[in-house]
Coordinates of all heavy atoms in Angstrom, one line a residue:
Q48 N -8.9 22.0 -2.2 CA -9.9 23.0 -1.7 C -9.6 23.1 -0.2 O -10.0 24.1 0.5 CB -11.3 22.5 -1.9 CG -11.7 22.0 -3.2 CD -11.9 23.0 -4.2 OE1 -12.2 24.2 -3.9 NE2 -11.7 22.7 -5.5
R49 N -9.1 22.0 0.4 CA -9.1 22.0 1.9 C -7.7 21.9 2.5 O -7.4 22.4 3.6 CB -9.8 20.7 2.4 CG -11.2 20.6 2.1 CD -11.9 19.4 2.7 NE -11.8 18.2 1.9 CZ -11.6 17.0 2.4 NH1 -11.5 16.9 3.7 NH2 -11.6 16.0 1.6
V50 N -6.7 21.3 1.7 CA -5.4 21.1 2.3 C -4.4 21.3 1.2 O -4.7 21.4 0.0 CB -5.2 19.7 2.9 CG1 -6.1 19.5 4.1 CG2 -5.4 18.6 1.8
R51 N -3.1 21.4 1.6 CA -2.0 21.6 0.6 C -1.7 20.3 -0.1 O -1.6 19.2 0.6 CB -0.7 22.1 1.2 CG -0.9 23.6 1.7 CD 0.4 24.1 2.3 NE 0.9 23.1 3.3 CZ 2.2 23.0 3.6 NH1 3.1 23.8 3.1 NH2 2.6 22.1 4.5
V52 N -1.6 20.3 -1.4 CA -1.4 19.0 -2.1 C -0.3 19.2 -3.1 O -0.2 20.2 -3.9 CB -2.7 18.6 -2.9 CG1 -2.5 17.3 -3.6 CG2 -3.9 18.5 -2.0
H53 N 0.6 18.2 -3.1 CA 1.7 18.2 -4.2 C 1.5 16.8 -4.9 O 1.4 15.8 -4.2 CB 3.1 18.3 -3.5 CG 4.2 18.1 -4.5 ND1 4.5 19.0 -5.4 CD2 5.1 17.0 -4.6 CE1 5.5 18.5 -6.1 NE2 5.9 17.4 -5.7
T54 N 1.5 16.8 -6.2 CA 1.4 15.5 -6.9 C 2.7 15.3 -7.7 O 3.4 16.2 -8.1 CB 0.2 15.5 -7.9 OG1 0.4 16.6 -8.8 CG2 -1.1 15.7 -7.1
A55 N 3.0 14.0 -7.9 CA 4.1 13.6 -8.7 C 3.7 12.3 -9.5 O 3.4 11.3 -8.8 CB 5.4 13.4 -7.9
V56 N 3.8 12.4 -10.8 CA 3.6 11.1 -11.5 C 4.8 10.2 -11.3 O 5.9 10.7 -11.5 CB 3.4 11.4 -13.0 CG1 3.3 10.1 -13.9 CG2 2.2 12.3 -13.3
L57 N 4.6 9.0 -10.8 CA 5.7 8.2 -10.4 C 5.4 6.7 -10.5 O 4.4 6.2 -10.0 CB 6.0 8.5 -8.9 CG 7.2 7.7 -8.3 CD1 8.5 8.1 -9.1 CD2 7.4 8.0 -6.8
D58 N 6.3 6.1 -11.2 CA 6.3 4.6 -11.2 C 7.3 4.2 -10.2 O 8.5 4.4 -10.4 CB 6.7 4.1 -12.6 CG 6.6 2.6 -12.8 OD1 6.8 1.9 -11.8 OD2 6.3 2.1 -13.9
V59 N 6.9 3.5 -9.2 CA 7.8 3.2 -8.0 C 8.9 2.2 -8.5 O 9.9 2.1 -7.8 CB 7.0 2.6 -6.8 CG1 6.1 3.6 -6.2 CG2 6.3 1.3 -7.2
R60 N 8.7 1.6 -9.6 CA 9.8 0.7 -10.1 C 11.0 1.4 -10.6 O 12.1 0.8 -10.8 CB 9.2 -0.2 -11.2 CG 8.2 -1.2 -10.8 CD 7.5 -1.9 -11.9 NE 6.8 -0.9 -12.8 CZ 6.1 -1.3 -13.9 NH1 6.1 -2.5 -14.3 NH2 5.5 -0.4 -14.6
D61 N 10.8 2.7 -10.9 CA 11.9 3.5 -11.5 C 12.7 4.2 -10.4 O 12.3 5.2 -9.8 CB 11.3 4.6 -12.4 CG 12.3 5.4 -13.2 OD1 13.5 5.4 -12.7 OD2 11.9 6.0 -14.2
E62 N 13.8 3.5 -10.0 CA 14.6 3.9 -8.9 C 15.1 5.4 -9.0 O 15.0 6.1 -8.0 CB 15.8 3.0 -8.8 CG 16.8 3.3 -7.8 CD 18.1 2.4 -8.1 OE1 18.0 1.3 -8.6 OE2 19.2 2.8 -7.7
K63 N 15.5 5.8 -10.1 CA 16.0 7.2 -10.3 C 14.9 8.2 -10.2 O 15.0 9.2 -9.6 CB 16.7 7.3 -11.7 CG 18.0 6.6 -11.8 CD 18.9 7.2 -12.9 CE 20.3 6.7 -12.9 NZ 20.4 5.3 -13.3
A64 N 13.7 7.8 -10.8 CA 12.6 8.7 -10.7 C 12.1 8.9 -9.3 O 11.8 10.0 -8.8 CB 11.4 8.2 -11.6
V65 N 12.1 7.8 -8.5 CA 11.8 7.9 -7.1 C 12.7 8.9 -6.4 O 12.2 9.8 -5.6 CB 11.8 6.5 -6.4 CG1 11.7 6.6 -4.9 CG2 10.7 5.6 -7.0
Q66 N 14.0 8.7 -6.5 CA 14.9 9.6 -5.9 C 14.7 11.1 -6.3 O 14.7 12.0 -5.4 CB 16.3 9.2 -6.1 CG 17.4 9.8 -5.2 CD 17.2 9.5 -3.7 OE1 17.1 8.3 -3.3 NE2 17.0 10.5 -2.9
S67 N 14.4 11.3 -7.6 CA 14.2 12.7 -8.1 C 13.0 13.3 -7.4 O 13.0 14.5 -7.0 CB 14.0 12.7 -9.6 OG 15.2 12.2 -10.2
V68 N 11.9 12.5 -7.4 CA 10.7 13.1 -6.8 C 11.0 13.5 -5.3 O 10.5 14.6 -4.9 CB 9.5 12.0 -6.8 CG1 8.4 12.4 -5.9 CG2 9.0 11.9 -8.2
I69 N 11.7 12.7 -4.6 CA 12.0 13.0 -3.2 C 12.9 14.2 -3.1 O 12.7 15.2 -2.4 CB 12.6 11.8 -2.4 CG1 11.6 10.6 -2.5 CG2 12.9 12.2 -1.0 CD1 10.2 10.9 -2.1
D70 N 14.0 14.2 -4.0 CA 15.0 15.3 -3.9 C 14.3 16.6 -4.3 O 14.8 17.7 -3.9 CB 16.1 15.0 -4.9 CG 17.0 13.9 -4.4 OD1 16.9 13.5 -3.2 OD2 17.8 13.3 -5.2
E71 N 13.3 16.6 -5.2 CA 12.7 17.8 -5.8 C 11.4 18.2 -5.1 O 10.7 19.0 -5.6 CB 12.5 17.6 -7.3 CG 13.8 17.6 -8.0 CD 13.7 16.9 -9.4 OE1 12.6 16.8 -9.9 OE2 14.8 16.5 -9.9
L72 N 11.2 17.7 -3.9 CA 10.0 18.1 -3.2 C 10.0 19.6 -2.9 O 11.1 20.1 -2.4 CB 9.8 17.3 -1.9 CG 9.3 15.9 -2.0 CD1 9.4 15.2 -0.6 CD2 7.9 15.8 -2.5
P73 N 9.0 20.3 -3.1 CA 9.0 21.7 -2.7 C 9.2 21.9 -1.2 O 8.9 21.0 -0.4 CB 7.5 22.2 -3.0 CG 7.0 21.1 -3.9 CD 7.7 19.9 -3.6
E74 N 9.9 23.0 -0.9 CA 10.2 23.2 0.5 C 9.1 22.9 1.5 O 9.4 22.3 2.5 CB 10.7 24.7 0.6 CG 11.4 25.1 1.9 CD 12.6 24.2 2.2 OE1 13.4 23.8 1.2 OE2 12.8 23.8 3.4
A75 N 7.9 23.3 1.2 CA 6.8 23.2 2.1 C 6.4 21.7 2.3 O 5.6 21.4 3.2 CB 5.6 24.0 1.6
F76 N 6.9 20.8 1.5 CA 6.5 19.4 1.6 C 7.7 18.5 2.0 O 7.6 17.3 1.9 CB 6.0 18.9 0.2 CG 4.6 19.5 -0.1 CD1 4.5 20.7 -0.8 CD2 3.4 18.8 0.3 CE1 3.3 21.2 -1.1 CE2 2.2 19.4 0.0 CZ 2.1 20.6 -0.7
R77 N 8.8 19.1 2.4 CA 10.0 18.3 2.6 C 10.0 17.4 3.8 O 10.5 16.3 3.8 CB 11.3 19.2 2.6 CG 11.5 19.9 1.3 CD 12.9 20.5 1.2 NE 13.9 19.4 0.9 CZ 14.1 19.0 -0.4 NH1 13.5 19.5 -1.4 NH2 15.0 18.0 -0.6
R78 N 9.4 17.9 4.9 CA 9.5 17.2 6.2 C 8.4 16.2 6.3 O 7.4 16.4 7.0 CB 9.5 18.2 7.3 CG 9.9 17.5 8.6 CD 10.2 18.5 9.7 NE 11.5 19.1 9.7 CZ 12.5 18.5 10.3 NH1 12.4 17.5 11.1 NH2 13.7 19.1 10.3
V79 N 8.5 15.1 5.6 CA 7.5 14.0 5.6 C 7.4 13.4 7.0 O 8.4 13.1 7.6 CB 7.8 13.0 4.5 CG1 6.8 11.8 4.6 CG2 7.9 13.6 3.1
K80 N 6.2 13.2 7.4 CA 6.0 12.6 8.7 C 5.6 11.1 8.6 O 6.0 10.3 9.3 CB 4.9 13.3 9.6 CG 4.8 12.8 11.0 CD 3.9 13.7 11.8 CE 3.9 13.2 13.2 NZ 2.9 13.9 14.0
T81 N 4.7 10.9 7.6 CA 4.3 9.5 7.3 C 4.4 9.1 5.9 O 4.0 9.9 5.0 CB 2.8 9.4 7.7 OG1 2.7 9.6 9.1 CG2 2.2 8.0 7.4
L82 N 5.0 8.0 5.7 CA 5.1 7.4 4.3 C 4.1 6.2 4.3 O 4.2 5.3 5.1 CB 6.5 6.9 4.0 CG 6.7 5.9 2.9 CD1 6.3 6.6 1.5 CD2 8.1 5.4 2.8
V83 N 3.2 6.2 3.3 CA 2.3 5.1 3.1 C 2.7 4.4 1.8 O 2.5 4.9 0.7 CB 0.8 5.6 3.0 CG1 -0.1 4.3 2.8 CG2 0.4 6.4 4.2
N84 N 3.4 3.3 2.0 CA 3.9 2.4 0.9 C 2.7 1.5 0.5 O 2.6 0.4 0.9 CB 5.1 1.6 1.4 CG 6.4 2.2 1.2 OD1 6.6 2.9 0.1 ND2 7.3 2.0 2.1
N85 N 1.9 2.1 -0.4 CA 0.7 1.4 -0.8 C 0.7 0.8 -2.2 O 0.0 -0.2 -2.5 CB -0.5 2.4 -0.6 CG -1.7 2.0 -1.3 OD1 -2.4 1.1 -0.8 ND2 -2.0 2.6 -2.5
A86 N 1.5 1.5 -3.1 CA 1.4 1.0 -4.5 C 1.8 -0.5 -4.6 O 2.7 -0.9 -4.0 CB 2.5 1.8 -5.3
G87 N 1.0 -1.2 -5.3 CA 1.2 -2.6 -5.5 C 0.1 -3.3 -6.3 O -0.9 -2.7 -6.6
L88 N 0.4 -4.5 -6.6 CA -0.6 -5.2 -7.5 C -0.4 -6.7 -7.4 O 0.7 -7.2 -7.1 CB -0.5 -4.7 -8.9 CG 0.6 -5.2 -9.9 CD1 0.4 -4.7 -11.2 CD2 2.0 -5.0 -9.3
A89 N -1.5 -7.4 -7.8 CA -1.4 -8.9 -8.0 C -1.7 -9.1 -9.5 O -2.5 -8.3 -10.1 CB -2.4 -9.6 -7.1
L90 N -1.0 -10.1 -10.1 CA -1.3 -10.4 -11.4 C -1.5 -12.0 -11.5 O -1.0 -12.7 -10.6 CB -0.1 -10.0 -12.3 CG 0.1 -8.5 -12.5 CD1 1.4 -8.2 -13.2 CD2 -1.0 -7.8 -13.2
A91 N -2.1 -12.4 -12.6 CA -2.1 -13.8 -12.9 C -2.6 -14.7 -11.8 O -1.8 -15.4 -11.2 CB -0.6 -14.2 -13.4
P92 N -3.9 -14.8 -11.6 CA -4.4 -15.6 -10.5 C -4.4 -17.1 -10.8 O -4.9 -17.9 -10.0 CB -5.9 -15.1 -10.3 CG -6.2 -14.5 -11.7 CD -4.9 -14.0 -12.3
Q93 N -4.0 -17.5 -12.0 CA -3.9 -18.9 -12.3 C -2.8 -19.7 -11.6 O -2.0 -19.0 -11.0 CB -3.8 -19.1 -13.9 CG -2.6 -18.5 -14.5 CD -2.8 -17.1 -15.0 OE1 -3.5 -16.3 -14.4 NE2 -2.2 -16.8 -16.1
P94 N -2.8 -21.0 -11.6 CA -1.7 -21.7 -10.9 C -0.3 -21.3 -11.4 O -0.1 -20.9 -12.6 CB -2.0 -23.2 -11.3 CG -3.4 -23.2 -11.7 CD -3.7 -21.9 -12.3
A95 N 0.7 -21.4 -10.5 CA 2.0 -21.0 -10.8 C 2.6 -21.5 -12.1 O 3.3 -20.8 -12.9 CB 2.9 -21.4 -9.6
Q96 N 2.3 -22.8 -12.4 CA 2.8 -23.4 -13.5 C 2.3 -22.9 -14.8 O 2.8 -23.2 -15.9 CB 2.7 -25.0 -13.5 CG 1.2 -25.5 -13.3 CD 0.8 -25.5 -11.8 OE1 1.3 -24.8 -11.0 NE2 -0.1 -26.5 -11.5
D97 N 1.2 -22.0 -14.8 CA 0.7 -21.5 -16.0 C 0.9 -20.0 -16.1 O 0.4 -19.3 -17.0 CB -0.9 -21.7 -16.0 CG -1.2 -23.2 -15.9 OD1 -0.4 -24.0 -16.5 OD2 -2.3 -23.5 -15.4
V98 N 1.8 -19.4 -15.3 CA 1.9 -18.0 -15.3 C 3.1 -17.6 -16.1 O 4.2 -18.2 -16.2 CB 2.2 -17.5 -13.8 CG1 2.6 -16.0 -13.7 CG2 1.0 -17.8 -12.9
D99 N 3.0 -16.4 -16.8 CA 4.1 -15.9 -17.6 C 5.1 -15.3 -16.6 O 4.8 -14.6 -15.6 CB 3.7 -14.7 -18.4 CG 3.0 -15.1 -19.7 OD1 3.1 -16.3 -20.0 OD2 2.3 -14.3 -20.3
L100 N 6.4 -15.6 -16.8 CA 7.5 -15.1 -15.9 C 7.4 -13.6 -15.8 O 7.7 -13.0 -14.7 CB 8.8 -15.6 -16.5 CG 10.1 -15.2 -15.6 CD1 10.0 -15.7 -14.2 CD2 11.3 -15.7 -16.3
A101 N 7.0 -12.9 -16.9 CA 7.0 -11.5 -16.9 C 6.0 -11.0 -15.8 O 6.3 -9.9 -15.1 CB 6.5 -10.9 -18.2

Side-chain angles (χ1 to χ4, degrees):
Q48 317 279 338
R49 299 187 270 143
V50 295
R51 290 182 312 157
V52 182
H53 173 71
T54 60
V56 175
L57 179 65
D58 185 330
V59 294
R60 294 171 295 179
D61 185 339
E62 174 190 335
K63 286 202 173 69
V65 167
Q66 193 59 56
S67 300
V68 163
I69 302 309
D70 289 346
E71 290 160 19
L72 283 173
E74 194 53 41
F76 289 88
R77 294 197 80 83
R78 192 170 275 269
V79 176
K80 184 171 186 189
T81 296
L82 164 63
V83 182
N84 268 323
N85 164 75
L88 80 178
L90 295 170
Q93 58 268 40
Q96 54 273 31
D97 298 332
V98 174
D99 282 345
L100 181 59

